[in-house]
Amino acid sequence: MIDLLPSWRPGATRDAVEAFLAASRDLPVDQRVAVLDNDGTLWCEKPGYVQYDFLVAQLHAAVAADPSVGERTEYRALLAQDKALLGELGLQRVAMALLELCAGVTPEEFTDRVHRFMAEAVHTRGVPYPKLVYQPMRELLGALRAHEFSVFVVTGGGTEFVRAVSAQLYGVAPDDVVGTLVEYHYAEHDGHPALERTAEAYGEVNEGPAKVAHIQTQLGRRPVFAAGNSGGDRQMLEYAAAAGPPSLALLLDHDDADREYAYTSKAVSFAETEAITDVARREGWTVVSMRDDWTRIFAA
Amino acid sequence: MIDLLPSWRPGATRDAVEAFLAASRDLPVDQRVAVLDNDGTLWCEKPGYVQYDFLVAQLHAAVAADPSVGERTEYRALLAQDKALLGELGLQRVAMALLELCAGVTPEEFTDRVHRFMAEAVHTRGVPYPKLVYQPMRELLGALRAHEFSVFVVTGGGTEFVRAVSAQLYGVAPDDVVGTLVEYHYAEHDGHPALERTAEAYGEVNEGPAKVAHIQTQLGRRPVFAAGNSGGDRQMLEYAAAAGPPSLALLLDHDDADREYAYTSKAVSFAETEAITDVARREGWTVVSMRDDWTRIFAA
């Protein structure tokens, strides 16, 4: 028999995953629905979100073309790495300012920009960004597909960034990504219909309860498997867990300071009073110790 | 060779469809994206939208359980079939009032209601509603899939209604339906997470330019094939046509008063000054004469 999970160390966690996969064979295929968070679940989110690095790279490119762009307060704070000012402005305001750098751009051009970034930029770990994918999670995606699951990525980040990379990184088609939506404006270019990005989000940021609502509005299918790593994934994990049996809620615990990072995620947008790992243990979710349960974190 | 389109009469229309399918083999598989409108394109929309009939059936059920429900102005007008009052109130207001009949309902219960309606209700043509699907269009869906297209339904109607029937009628999964979204409210039922429908639409009604914007926000893939029948499909057809070559914009002309209905669709929400069939001919789209190009309309 082929080992679908070679980077998963034998033990209780791996047993729980395999028991769920075996039990899923009793479900009709159309009910085999898996949702996975992206940042910190499928790939590394430290020291910062990849998407944020991408937007900062857009800022550097814009300033290189026109230095006056850098005079805006949010951009000045970023360029000077002025942590006090960035803290004062807040992540939300800075992120919205960065989004404006892509306003007016067509979906095709935005995708090209993401592809160039992924091909050229180097992460602080000294590797290209595609190397940040967790190898054991890539194997898990394959194992889910081998059991005829439909696999969806449900990200708190911008949908368009993730769908520009999801086929390459995860084999997930653009239409199988649920995230925070940026609105498009319908326009004409040279007499042909075209779309232009706006700098406005469409609906709520895809975190917490909104993840569950958007899974319904955008997919219309209820997951029996969910994987996440932060407070922003809590409701999605609860929703999947309650759909069973069989069901599996998998929470990654970033407890490997040597090979990755050691931290306990909390949702940005929610006042969680309890560490998500404690919630997971109380709820009976399957907690993945990245240190103990994985023989390796990255592919190479 | 198997004839994939047995209900399409030989001629220029069928030739154009077959030439497009043959040319699509040169496209990478991930670019083989087809979008099809639902009402009037995949199934009959006369004398009224099926979804409207469903909502009216919900009203009758609600009034049977509690007659006082029928006292509301919009409902009274519907129950009395008071065309003058209905015209005065307007379709939008009446439709929004009907949507409230499903507020608070979970996605599972809503889907059950649609399934019961589809199994039990009888259309004015004297057939169950699933028989309203156009057989030649069902064959076209099969031909597109035989050419490895991803097939999406892009409806002006409510997404949730269409995705409750799309697998049965068209073999299209719930997540492959793009339509007008009703917002969900995240709630707890007996300590378990659950979703409840609201009576609010989320974003714009999925007609006209919004169809193109929503194809991007919800699918992130650009179609090279589109099929429609009304002014509300115009921008989607233009968008697909401009993606080629190869591309195909297919417009159904309801010109068969004997076997279906004879009418020229206009979008409800847009002031079109030109019949959509005239736009189609001017733009060089492929116009399907339901009378001349199809040997049969319905399966049986």
Side-chain angles (χ1 to χ4, degrees), chain A residues 16-269:
Chain A
V17 172
E18 290 186 329
F20 166 72
L21 289 171
S24 74
R25 291 186 204 274
D26 293 335
L27 288 173
V29 168
D30 68 356
Q31 290 178 29
R32 299 186 202 170
V33 176
V35 292
L36 300 99
D37 170 55
N38 186 43
D39 295 311
T41 299
L42 291 175
W43 72 352
C44 180
E45 64 180 355
K46 294 291 177 188
Y49 295 121
V50 174
Q51 201 160 158
Y52 195 78
D53 293 355
F54 164 73
L55 290 171
V56 171
Q58 299 302 300
L59 174 60
H60 285 289
V63 169
D66 174 6
S68 74
V69 170
E71 289 164 17
R72 181 171 168 166
T73 308
E74 297 91 342
Y75 299 162
R76 210 175 60 233
L78 277 166
L79 294 169
Q81 302 198 0
D82 182 340
K83 288 194 180 171
L85 181 52
L86 286 171
E88 196 182 303
L89 296 169
L91 178 68
Q92 176 89 356
R93 178 169 161 187
V94 175
M96 292 310 288
L98 284 171
L99 274 185
E100 290 185 31
L101 293 167
C102 297
V105 162
T106 65
E108 293 82 3
E109 167 64 14
F110 182 81
T111 300
D112 284 347
R113 289 190 190 185
V114 176
H115 288 171
R116 282 200 296 277
F117 173 81
M118 292 295 285
E120 293 165 10
V122 176
H123 186 257
T124 53
R125 298 181 70 85
V127 295
Y129 282 83
K131 298 280 185 192
L132 298 178
V133 174
Y134 303 140
Q135 176 59 21
M137 294 305 287
R138 209 194 296 255
E139 294 166 9
L140 181 55
L141 294 176
L144 288 163
R145 290 195 186 100
H147 290 77
E148 295 183 75
F149 272 80
S150 297
V151 172
F152 301 96
V153 175
V154 178
T155 176
T159 307
E160 297 291 78
F161 181 89
V162 176
R163 62 171 42 140
V165 303
S166 62
Q168 181 201 352
L169 300 183
Y170 315 127
V172 168
D175 47 299
D176 292 340
V177 175
V178 175
T180 300
L181 297 175
V182 165
E183 251 182 88
Y184 278 92
H185 170 71
Y186 180 85
E188 289 202 2
H189 291 176
D190 304 325
H192 291 299
L195 290 171
E196 295 173 353
R197 277 175 72 96
T198 69
E200 305 288 322
Y202 171 77
E204 282 179 275
V205 171
N206 196 40
E207 284 279 13
K211 279 196 172 179
V212 177
H214 294 162
I215 285 169
Q216 180 60 37
T217 51
Q218 292 181 45
L219 303 179
R221 300 175 70 175
R222 180 152 186 181
V224 293
F225 172 94
N229 81 113
S230 83
D233 300 318
R234 178 175 177 163
Q235 288 79 5
M236 176 173 85
L237 289 158
E238 288 174 344
Y239 191 61
S247 66
L248 189 70
L250 200 72
L251 186 95
L252 270 64
D253 185 5
H254 293 268
D255 59 357
D256 193 332
D258 291 336
R259 296 186 300 177
E260 203 229 9
Y261 301 92
Y263 64 100
T264 301
S265 268
K266 293 194 179 182
V268 176
S269 350

Side-chain angles (χ1 to χ4, degrees), chain B residues 188-203:
Chain B
E188 289 202 1
H189 290 176
D190 304 326
H192 291 298
L195 291 171
E196 294 172 355
R197 276 175 72 96
T198 69
E200 304 289 322
Y202 171 75

